[in-house]
Structure formats: C-alpha cells, structure tokens
Amino acid sequence: MPKTRKISRAPRTTANNNADDNAVSTTNPKIEEAEDTVSGVKRSSSLSEEASMSTTRSLPLLICSIGNPGSTYANTLHSAGHTVIQRLADKLNFPPFKKDRAHGNGLLTHGFAPSGAPWTLWQSTSYMNVSGAGVAAAYRAWSRDLPDGEGRLVVVHDELEKPLGSVNLKTTQGASAKGHNGLKSIKSSIGSVPFDRIGVGIGRPVSRDSDEVARYVLRKMTPNERETIGNAVDDIVSKLEQVH
C-alpha cells in the first residue's frame, strides 16, 4: 500500500505578514476617485439647493382692495375686497388704516408678513368703476423708493360666479377682467405695470338678468356671508406668500 505524503505548508514570514497588512491598508485609487466623485456630487447638490432656497424669497407687496366707499356700501358683496383686507390687517396686527393723500387719497397701513416681508395694505376710497387712478397713484408713491423689480402690486377684489369665500390668485398678466369694471379701470390707469389679482368669491344670483345681478352685488352681506368671506383671510395670506 503506497504511503500517503504529507503536504507541508510554508511558514508565514514577517514579510508576508507585512505584505498582507499593506494589502489591507492600501486604498484602491479607483475607489478613492469614485468616492471623491460621489462626495463632489453631494457637495454640489447641497450648494445648489442652498442657492435655490436663497433665491426664493418674498417680495415687498402693495396689496390694494377695491370696492365702493362709505357706510352705504360697507360690507356689500361688491366690496368684499375691503372686508377681507380689513380682516387681514386685524390678523397681522397692523396699525389702524389712515387716510394718505400721497397714496391716492386711500386708506393705508403697513407691517410685516409672516415671512418677514414688508406688506403695505391700501383701501380705495373711490367708487369701484373709477378706482384705477387711486391704485396707480398709490403704486407710484409706494414704489418710488424701491429698487426696480423689488416690489409687487396685488389687487384684491370681489369675484362673481365663484363660490362664496373662495380665493383665486391670478398672476397671468393681461388676463381678462371678465366684465369687472374696477379691474378695467386699473388696467387703463396703470399702463404696463404688472399686477397680480386675488379674487374673493361672492357667488351669483339665480337670475342672469343684469338688474338682478346689480342688486345682488350691491346688497349687504348676511352675517353668515360676512363670516364666510372674512374667514378666507388664512387662504389669502397663503396666496400672498406665493407672490414672488
């Protein structure tokens, strides 16, 4: 029977140990390069996100409400813009409105938005159909000390046929006034100045007769209607914060 031969293993030398240790501790250059690339992408992405966040900021706003003046027309549906801008001033703890001749003889107050941006609130003291001249004068006075492109004009108005208390922001320039005489007056008075619009829904009467519609928009709000429209203020703040 043949003898089985033992296979002897060579003793592990110090040199081999060192070689093994070096093999473990040495970093693969390709891996290093890949890690640097990934790290670089992460750093670049982070910087890009920071830059994007820094460029998105709220602008100073001139927020103008239009309606009809005096106690006769106070809290009518057609003056819903005045109702919500008063509620907005109360919510933000702005000082009381004061008449300001330099700003189109309108009622003026100002303070800061939740975002920290300066907001100026202005109420027209003209009749709806001729409110454009006052808005234009207020904008000229307000924007005089602002760098070009820094401020934004927003007009708050009633919006027929929209659900009561709904809030609609329109930033498209040149959009149709849809028969709203106040918006028509502003567009003809302010020229090429861009402005955004916030429409506050006031519903619509069943009849489409023009006299019925006129009676509807000029009537006083019921307590429930006034509360519903006033409660739109949170949505209005949210929409205003979107204006950039």
Side-chain angles (χ1 to χ4, degrees):
M1 184 175 179
K3 291 183 179 179
T4 305
R5 295 178 61 189
K6 273 189 175 180
I7 300 174
S8 60
R9 297 181 182 272
R12 191 170 184 178
T13 64
T14 304
N16 284 340
N17 286 340
N18 291 341
D20 289 345
D21 290 342
N22 288 338
V24 171
S25 62
T26 301
T27 306
N28 188 324
K30 290 185 178 179
I31 294 175
E32 268 188 341
E33 183 180 348
E35 287 177 348
D36 286 344
T37 302
V38 172
S39 176
V41 169
K42 285 181 179 177
R43 284 195 293 270
S44 174
S45 175
S46 176
L47 290 172
S48 175
E49 287 172 6
E50 288 175 9
S52 175
M53 288 175 66
S54 66
T55 56
T56 303
R57 58 189 179 84
S58 297
L59 292 173
L61 299 182
L62 173 63
I63 305 159
C64 298
S65 67
I66 54 176
N68 286 315
S71 58
T72 301
Y73 297 103
N75 296 314
T76 58
L77 288 167
H78 207 26
S79 295
H82 289 338
T83 300
V84 296
I85 208 170
Q86 179 62 63
R87 188 70 71 93
L88 178 61
D90 294 341
K91 178 181 177 63
L92 299 177
N93 296 314
F94 281 15
F97 282 93
K98 290 185 178 179
K99 200 160 193 177
D100 192 302
R101 181 175 294 180
H103 289 75
N105 215 32
L107 301 176
L108 191 74
T109 186
H110 52 82
F112 293 94
S115 65
W119 284 1
T120 298
L121 308 184
W122 181 90
Q123 285 186 344
S124 171
T125 54
S126 302
Y127 284 96
M128 178 72 86
N129 293 3
V130 292
S131 54
V135 172
Y139 178 79
R140 284 194 299 270
W142 172 77
S143 62
R144 189 172 294 131
D145 298 325
L146 290 175
D148 288 345
E150 276 296 298
R152 194 76 173 171
L153 171 63
V154 182
V155 176
V156 182
H157 61 92
D158 63 303
E159 192 160 22
L160 195 64
E161 295 198 38
K162 295 293 184 182
L164 187 74
S166 62
V167 178
N168 304 284
L169 171 65
K170 292 182 181 177
T171 58
T172 304
Q173 302 307 308
S176 170
K178 292 186 176 179
H180 195 293
N181 290 327
L183 293 175
K184 288 180 180 178
S185 177
I186 292 170
K187 292 176 79 170
S188 66
S189 299
I190 210 160
S192 60
V193 174
F195 67 95
D196 298 333
R197 294 153 44 176
I198 289 184
V200 180
I202 61 169
R204 187 183 178 102
V206 175
S207 173
R208 299 282 171 166
D209 178 75
S210 59
D211 290 338
E212 282 296 321
V213 172
R215 279 192 287 271
Y216 176 82
V217 300
L218 293 176
R219 71 167 173 79
K220 296 279 188 179
M221 302 178 199
T222 66
N224 286 341
E225 287 172 336
R226 187 175 178 186
E227 187 65 19
T228 298
I229 286 175
N231 286 340
V233 69
D234 289 333
D235 199 6
I236 287 173
V237 170
S238 176
K239 294 289 194 299
L240 288 169
E241 294 278 23
Q242 296 173 27
V243 176
H244 296 290

Short mmCIF file of all heavy atoms in Angstrom, two decimals, residues 16-66:
data_model
loop_
_atom_site.label_atom_id
_atom_site.label_comp_id
_atom_site.label_asym_id
_atom_site.label_seq_id
_atom_site.Cartn_x
_atom_site.Cartn_y
_atom_site.Cartn_z
N ASN A 16 5.64 38.32 4.54
CA ASN A 16 4.29 38.06 4.05
C ASN A 16 3.25 38.76 4.90
O ASN A 16 2.26 39.26 4.41
CB ASN A 16 4.01 36.55 4.06
CG ASN A 16 4.71 35.84 2.92
OD1 ASN A 16 5.07 36.49 1.94
ND2 ASN A 16 4.91 34.53 3.05
N ASN A 17 3.50 38.75 6.23
CA ASN A 17 2.56 39.45 7.11
C ASN A 17 2.48 40.92 6.76
O ASN A 17 1.41 41.51 6.69
CB ASN A 17 3.00 39.32 8.57
CG ASN A 17 2.74 37.92 9.11
OD1 ASN A 17 1.94 37.20 8.53
ND2 ASN A 17 3.43 37.55 10.18
N ASN A 18 3.65 41.52 6.52
CA ASN A 18 3.67 42.93 6.17
C ASN A 18 2.97 43.17 4.85
O ASN A 18 2.26 44.15 4.67
CB ASN A 18 5.11 43.45 6.08
CG ASN A 18 5.77 43.50 7.46
OD1 ASN A 18 5.06 43.51 8.46
ND2 ASN A 18 7.10 43.53 7.49
N ALA A 19 3.19 42.25 3.92
CA ALA A 19 2.55 42.41 2.60
C ALA A 19 1.05 42.35 2.74
O ALA A 19 0.32 43.12 2.12
CB ALA A 19 3.05 41.32 1.65
N ASP A 20 0.59 41.37 3.59
CA ASP A 20 -0.86 41.26 3.79
C ASP A 20 -1.41 42.52 4.44
O ASP A 20 -2.47 43.02 4.08
CB ASP A 20 -1.19 40.05 4.67
CG ASP A 20 -0.95 38.75 3.92
OD1 ASP A 20 -0.84 38.82 2.68
OD2 ASP A 20 -0.89 37.69 4.58
N ASP A 21 -0.65 42.99 5.46
CA ASP A 21 -1.12 44.20 6.14
C ASP A 21 -1.20 45.37 5.17
O ASP A 21 -2.15 46.14 5.19
CB ASP A 21 -0.17 44.57 7.29
CG ASP A 21 -0.28 43.56 8.42
OD1 ASP A 21 -1.29 42.83 8.44
OD2 ASP A 21 0.64 43.52 9.27
N ASN A 22 -0.18 45.48 4.31
CA ASN A 22 -0.19 46.56 3.34
C ASN A 22 -1.35 46.43 2.38
O ASN A 22 -1.96 47.41 1.99
CB ASN A 22 1.12 46.57 2.54
CG ASN A 22 2.29 47.05 3.39
OD1 ASN A 22 2.09 47.73 4.39
ND2 ASN A 22 3.51 46.68 3.00
N ALA A 23 -1.65 45.18 2.02
CA ALA A 23 -2.75 44.96 1.08
C ALA A 23 -4.06 45.42 1.68
O ALA A 23 -4.92 45.96 1.01
CB ALA A 23 -2.83 43.48 0.70
N VAL A 24 -4.22 45.22 2.98
CA VAL A 24 -5.46 45.61 3.64
C VAL A 24 -5.54 47.11 3.80
O VAL A 24 -6.56 47.73 3.58
CB VAL A 24 -5.56 44.92 5.02
CG1 VAL A 24 -6.73 45.48 5.82
CG2 VAL A 24 -5.71 43.42 4.84
N SER A 25 -4.42 47.73 4.16
CA SER A 25 -4.45 49.15 4.48
C SER A 25 -4.38 50.04 3.25
O SER A 25 -4.75 51.19 3.30
CB SER A 25 -3.28 49.50 5.41
OG SER A 25 -2.05 49.23 4.75
N THR A 26 -3.90 49.52 2.14
CA THR A 26 -3.78 50.34 0.94
C THR A 26 -5.15 50.55 0.31
O THR A 26 -5.89 49.60 0.10
CB THR A 26 -2.86 49.67 -0.09
OG1 THR A 26 -1.59 49.49 0.52
CG2 THR A 26 -2.71 50.52 -1.34
N THR A 27 -5.51 51.80 0.01
CA THR A 27 -6.81 52.11 -0.59
C THR A 27 -6.71 52.06 -2.10
O THR A 27 -5.76 52.57 -2.68
CB THR A 27 -7.26 53.51 -0.17
OG1 THR A 27 -7.22 53.59 1.25
CG2 THR A 27 -8.66 53.80 -0.65
N ASN A 28 -7.71 51.46 -2.69
CA ASN A 28 -7.74 51.37 -4.15
C ASN A 28 -7.95 52.76 -4.74
O ASN A 28 -8.92 53.43 -4.42
CB ASN A 28 -8.90 50.44 -4.55
CG ASN A 28 -8.88 50.13 -6.03
OD1 ASN A 28 -8.54 50.97 -6.83
ND2 ASN A 28 -9.25 48.90 -6.36
N PRO A 29 -7.05 53.22 -5.61
CA PRO A 29 -7.18 54.57 -6.18
C PRO A 29 -8.50 54.78 -6.90
O PRO A 29 -9.07 55.85 -6.89
CB PRO A 29 -6.00 54.67 -7.15
CG PRO A 29 -5.06 53.59 -6.75
CD PRO A 29 -5.86 52.52 -6.11
N LYS A 30 -9.00 53.71 -7.55
CA LYS A 30 -10.26 53.85 -8.28
C LYS A 30 -11.42 54.09 -7.32
O LYS A 30 -12.33 54.85 -7.60
CB LYS A 30 -10.52 52.60 -9.11
CG LYS A 30 -9.58 52.47 -10.30
CD LYS A 30 -9.94 51.29 -11.15
CE LYS A 30 -9.01 51.20 -12.37
NZ LYS A 30 -9.32 50.05 -13.21
N ILE A 31 -11.35 53.37 -6.17
CA ILE A 31 -12.39 53.57 -5.16
C ILE A 31 -12.33 54.98 -4.62
O ILE A 31 -13.34 55.65 -4.44
CB ILE A 31 -12.25 52.54 -4.03
CG1 ILE A 31 -12.51 51.13 -4.56
CG2 ILE A 31 -13.20 52.86 -2.88
CD1 ILE A 31 -12.28 50.04 -3.55
N GLU A 32 -11.07 55.45 -4.36
CA GLU A 32 -10.90 56.82 -3.88
C GLU A 32 -11.51 57.82 -4.84
O GLU A 32 -12.22 58.75 -4.46
CB GLU A 32 -9.41 57.13 -3.72
CG GLU A 32 -8.87 56.83 -2.35
CD GLU A 32 -7.45 57.35 -2.20
OE1 GLU A 32 -6.80 57.59 -3.24
OE2 GLU A 32 -7.00 57.50 -1.07
N GLU A 33 -11.23 57.61 -6.13
CA GLU A 33 -11.73 58.53 -7.15
C GLU A 33 -13.25 58.52 -7.19
O GLU A 33 -13.90 59.55 -7.29
CB GLU A 33 -11.16 58.11 -8.51
CG GLU A 33 -11.56 59.05 -9.65
CD GLU A 33 -10.98 58.60 -10.97
OE1 GLU A 33 -10.12 57.70 -10.97
OE2 GLU A 33 -11.41 59.14 -11.99
N ALA A 34 -13.83 57.30 -7.09
CA ALA A 34 -15.29 57.19 -7.11
C ALA A 34 -15.90 57.88 -5.91
O ALA A 34 -16.91 58.58 -6.02
CB ALA A 34 -15.70 55.71 -7.13
N GLU A 35 -15.25 57.68 -4.73
CA GLU A 35 -15.78 58.31 -3.52
C GLU A 35 -15.71 59.82 -3.62
O GLU A 35 -16.62 60.53 -3.21
CB GLU A 35 -15.00 57.82 -2.30
CG GLU A 35 -15.35 56.38 -1.92
CD GLU A 35 -14.50 55.89 -0.76
OE1 GLU A 35 -13.51 56.59 -0.43
OE2 GLU A 35 -14.82 54.85 -0.20
N ASP A 36 -14.59 60.33 -4.18
CA ASP A 36 -14.47 61.77 -4.35
C ASP A 36 -15.55 62.30 -5.27
O ASP A 36 -16.12 63.37 -5.05
CB ASP A 36 -13.09 62.13 -4.94
CG ASP A 36 -11.99 61.99 -3.89
OD1 ASP A 36 -12.35 61.93 -2.70
OD2 ASP A 36 -10.81 61.94 -4.27
N THR A 37 -15.82 61.52 -6.34
CA THR A 37 -16.84 61.95 -7.29
C THR A 37 -18.21 62.02 -6.63
O THR A 37 -18.94 62.99 -6.76
CB THR A 37 -16.91 60.97 -8.49
OG1 THR A 37 -15.63 60.92 -9.09
CG2 THR A 37 -17.94 61.43 -9.50
N VAL A 38 -18.54 60.95 -5.87
CA VAL A 38 -19.83 60.93 -5.17
C VAL A 38 -19.90 62.07 -4.18
O VAL A 38 -20.88 62.79 -4.08
CB VAL A 38 -20.03 59.57 -4.46
CG1 VAL A 38 -21.26 59.63 -3.57
CG2 VAL A 38 -20.16 58.45 -5.47
N SER A 39 -18.80 62.25 -3.43
CA SER A 39 -18.76 63.33 -2.45
C SER A 39 -18.92 64.67 -3.11
O SER A 39 -19.62 65.55 -2.64
CB SER A 39 -17.44 63.26 -1.68
OG SER A 39 -17.33 64.33 -0.79
N GLY A 40 -18.26 64.81 -4.28
CA GLY A 40 -18.36 66.06 -5.01
C GLY A 40 -19.77 66.34 -5.47
O GLY A 40 -20.26 67.45 -5.40
N VAL A 41 -20.46 65.29 -5.94
CA VAL A 41 -21.85 65.44 -6.37
C VAL A 41 -22.72 65.88 -5.21
O VAL A 41 -23.55 66.75 -5.32
CB VAL A 41 -22.37 64.12 -6.98
CG1 VAL A 41 -23.88 64.18 -7.18
CG2 VAL A 41 -21.68 63.83 -8.29
N LYS A 42 -22.48 65.24 -4.05
CA LYS A 42 -23.27 65.60 -2.87
C LYS A 42 -23.05 67.05 -2.49
O LYS A 42 -23.97 67.78 -2.20
CB LYS A 42 -22.91 64.68 -1.71
CG LYS A 42 -23.49 63.27 -1.84
CD LYS A 42 -23.12 62.43 -0.64
CE LYS A 42 -23.71 61.03 -0.77
NZ LYS A 42 -23.32 60.16 0.34
N ARG A 43 -21.76 67.45 -2.49
CA ARG A 43 -21.47 68.83 -2.11
C ARG A 43 -22.09 69.79 -3.11
O ARG A 43 -22.68 70.79 -2.76
CB ARG A 43 -19.96 69.03 -2.02
CG ARG A 43 -19.33 68.45 -0.77
CD ARG A 43 -17.94 69.01 -0.59
NE ARG A 43 -17.04 68.56 -1.64
CZ ARG A 43 -16.31 67.47 -1.56
NH1 ARG A 43 -16.40 66.68 -0.51
NH2 ARG A 43 -15.50 67.13 -2.54
N SER A 44 -21.96 69.48 -4.40
CA SER A 44 -22.51 70.34 -5.44
C SER A 44 -24.02 70.43 -5.33
O SER A 44 -24.60 71.49 -5.44
CB SER A 44 -22.12 69.79 -6.82
OG SER A 44 -22.73 70.52 -7.83
N SER A 45 -24.67 69.27 -5.07
CA SER A 45 -26.12 69.25 -4.93
C SER A 45 -26.56 70.09 -3.75
O SER A 45 -27.52 70.84 -3.82
CB SER A 45 -26.59 67.81 -4.76
OG SER A 45 -27.97 67.76 -4.51
N SER A 46 -25.81 69.97 -2.64
CA SER A 46 -26.16 70.73 -1.44
C SER A 46 -26.06 72.23 -1.69
O SER A 46 -26.93 73.00 -1.31
CB SER A 46 -25.23 70.32 -0.30
OG SER A 46 -25.48 71.10 0.84
N LEU A 47 -24.97 72.64 -2.37
CA LEU A 47 -24.80 74.06 -2.68
C LEU A 47 -25.90 74.55 -3.60
O LEU A 47 -26.40 75.67 -3.46
CB LEU A 47 -23.43 74.29 -3.34
CG LEU A 47 -22.22 74.12 -2.41
CD1 LEU A 47 -20.94 74.18 -3.23
CD2 LEU A 47 -22.21 75.21 -1.34
N SER A 48 -26.28 73.70 -4.57
CA SER A 48 -27.34 74.07 -5.50
C SER A 48 -28.65 74.29 -4.77
O SER A 48 -29.39 75.22 -5.05
CB SER A 48 -27.50 72.98 -6.56
OG SER A 48 -28.56 73.26 -7.40
N GLU A 49 -28.96 73.38 -3.80
CA GLU A 49 -30.20 73.51 -3.04
C GLU A 49 -30.19 74.78 -2.22
O GLU A 49 -31.18 75.49 -2.13
CB GLU A 49 -30.37 72.30 -2.12
CG GLU A 49 -30.75 71.03 -2.87
CD GLU A 49 -30.72 69.81 -1.97
OE1 GLU A 49 -30.52 70.00 -0.75
OE2 GLU A 49 -30.90 68.69 -2.47
N GLU A 50 -29.02 75.09 -1.60
CA GLU A 50 -28.92 76.30 -0.79
C GLU A 50 -29.12 77.54 -1.66
O GLU A 50 -29.80 78.49 -1.26
CB GLU A 50 -27.56 76.37 -0.11
CG GLU A 50 -27.40 75.36 1.03
CD GLU A 50 -26.00 75.38 1.61
OE1 GLU A 50 -25.23 76.28 1.24
OE2 GLU A 50 -25.69 74.50 2.43
N ALA A 51 -28.53 77.53 -2.86
CA ALA A 51 -28.67 78.68 -3.76
C ALA A 51 -30.12 78.85 -4.17
O ALA A 51 -30.63 79.96 -4.23
CB ALA A 51 -27.79 78.48 -5.00
N SER A 52 -30.79 77.70 -4.45
CA SER A 52 -32.20 77.77 -4.84
C SER A 52 -33.05 78.35 -3.73
O SER A 52 -33.93 79.17 -3.96
CB SER A 52 -32.70 76.37 -5.20
OG SER A 52 -34.07 76.39 -5.47
N MET A 53 -32.77 77.93 -2.48
CA MET A 53 -33.54 78.43 -1.35
C MET A 53 -33.32 79.92 -1.15
O MET A 53 -34.23 80.66 -0.81
CB MET A 53 -33.17 77.67 -0.08
CG MET A 53 -33.67 76.23 -0.06
SD MET A 53 -33.08 75.34 1.38
CE MET A 53 -33.90 76.23 2.69
N SER A 54 -32.07 80.36 -1.38
CA SER A 54 -31.76 81.77 -1.14
C SER A 54 -32.39 82.68 -2.17
O SER A 54 -32.64 83.85 -1.91
CB SER A 54 -30.24 81.97 -1.13
OG SER A 54 -29.70 81.72 -2.41
N THR A 55 -32.66 82.16 -3.39
CA THR A 55 -33.25 83.00 -4.42
C THR A 55 -34.76 83.06 -4.33
O THR A 55 -35.39 83.88 -4.95
CB THR A 55 -32.85 82.49 -5.83
OG1 THR A 55 -33.24 81.12 -5.95
CG2 THR A 55 -31.36 82.62 -6.05
N THR A 56 -35.38 82.13 -3.56
CA THR A 56 -36.82 82.15 -3.39
C THR A 56 -37.15 82.93 -2.13
O THR A 56 -36.98 82.45 -1.03
CB THR A 56 -37.37 80.71 -3.27
OG1 THR A 56 -36.99 79.98 -4.41
CG2 THR A 56 -38.88 80.73 -3.15
N ARG A 57 -37.61 84.15 -2.29
CA ARG A 57 -37.91 84.98 -1.13
C ARG A 57 -39.14 85.81 -1.43
O ARG A 57 -39.48 86.08 -2.57
CB ARG A 57 -36.73 85.89 -0.79
CG ARG A 57 -36.32 86.80 -1.93
CD ARG A 57 -35.02 87.53 -1.63
NE ARG A 57 -34.64 88.39 -2.72
CZ ARG A 57 -35.08 89.61 -2.90
NH1 ARG A 57 -35.96 90.12 -2.06
NH2 ARG A 57 -34.68 90.34 -3.93
N SER A 58 -39.79 86.23 -0.37
CA SER A 58 -40.99 87.03 -0.53
C SER A 58 -40.62 88.48 -0.83
O SER A 58 -39.68 89.02 -0.25
CB SER A 58 -41.84 86.96 0.74
OG SER A 58 -42.27 85.64 0.97
N LEU A 59 -41.37 89.09 -1.73
CA LEU A 59 -41.12 90.48 -2.11
C LEU A 59 -41.96 91.42 -1.26
O LEU A 59 -43.00 91.03 -0.72
CB LEU A 59 -41.49 90.68 -3.58
CG LEU A 59 -40.64 89.98 -4.64
CD1 LEU A 59 -41.27 90.17 -6.00
CD2 LEU A 59 -39.22 90.53 -4.64
N PRO A 60 -41.54 92.68 -1.17
CA PRO A 60 -42.45 93.69 -0.61
C PRO A 60 -43.70 93.76 -1.48
O PRO A 60 -43.61 93.73 -2.71
CB PRO A 60 -41.64 94.99 -0.71
CG PRO A 60 -40.21 94.56 -0.83
CD PRO A 60 -40.23 93.26 -1.55
N LEU A 61 -44.86 93.84 -0.84
CA LEU A 61 -46.12 93.87 -1.59
C LEU A 61 -46.92 95.11 -1.24
O LEU A 61 -46.97 95.53 -0.09
CB LEU A 61 -46.97 92.64 -1.26
CG LEU A 61 -46.41 91.25 -1.59
CD1 LEU A 61 -47.44 90.18 -1.22
CD2 LEU A 61 -46.01 91.13 -3.05
N LEU A 62 -47.56 95.68 -2.26
CA LEU A 62 -48.61 96.67 -2.08
C LEU A 62 -49.91 95.95 -2.39
O LEU A 62 -50.15 95.56 -3.53
CB LEU A 62 -48.42 97.87 -3.01
CG LEU A 62 -49.56 98.89 -3.01
CD1 LEU A 62 -49.73 99.54 -1.64
CD2 LEU A 62 -49.34 99.96 -4.08
N ILE A 63 -50.74 95.77 -1.38
CA ILE A 63 -51.97 94.98 -1.51
C ILE A 63 -53.15 95.95 -1.45
O ILE A 63 -53.43 96.55 -0.41
CB ILE A 63 -52.06 93.93 -0.38
CG1 ILE A 63 -50.79 93.06 -0.38
CG2 ILE A 63 -53.31 93.08 -0.53
CD1 ILE A 63 -50.53 92.36 0.94
N CYS A 64 -53.81 96.12 -2.59
CA CYS A 64 -54.88 97.12 -2.72
C CYS A 64 -56.24 96.45 -2.83
O CYS A 64 -56.43 95.55 -3.65
CB CYS A 64 -54.66 97.96 -3.98
SG CYS A 64 -53.12 98.91 -3.98
N SER A 65 -57.18 96.89 -2.02
CA SER A 65 -58.55 96.41 -2.16
C SER A 65 -59.38 97.48 -2.86
O SER A 65 -59.18 98.68 -2.66
CB SER A 65 -59.16 96.08 -0.80
OG SER A 65 -59.35 97.24 -0.01
N ILE A 66 -60.29 97.01 -3.71
CA ILE A 66 -61.19 97.94 -4.41
C ILE A 66 -62.63 97.57 -4.08
O ILE A 66 -62.96 96.41 -3.82
CB ILE A 66 -60.95 97.93 -5.94
CG1 ILE A 66 -61.04 96.51 -6.50
CG2 ILE A 66 -59.60 98.55 -6.26
CD1 ILE A 66 -60.91 96.43 -8.03
#
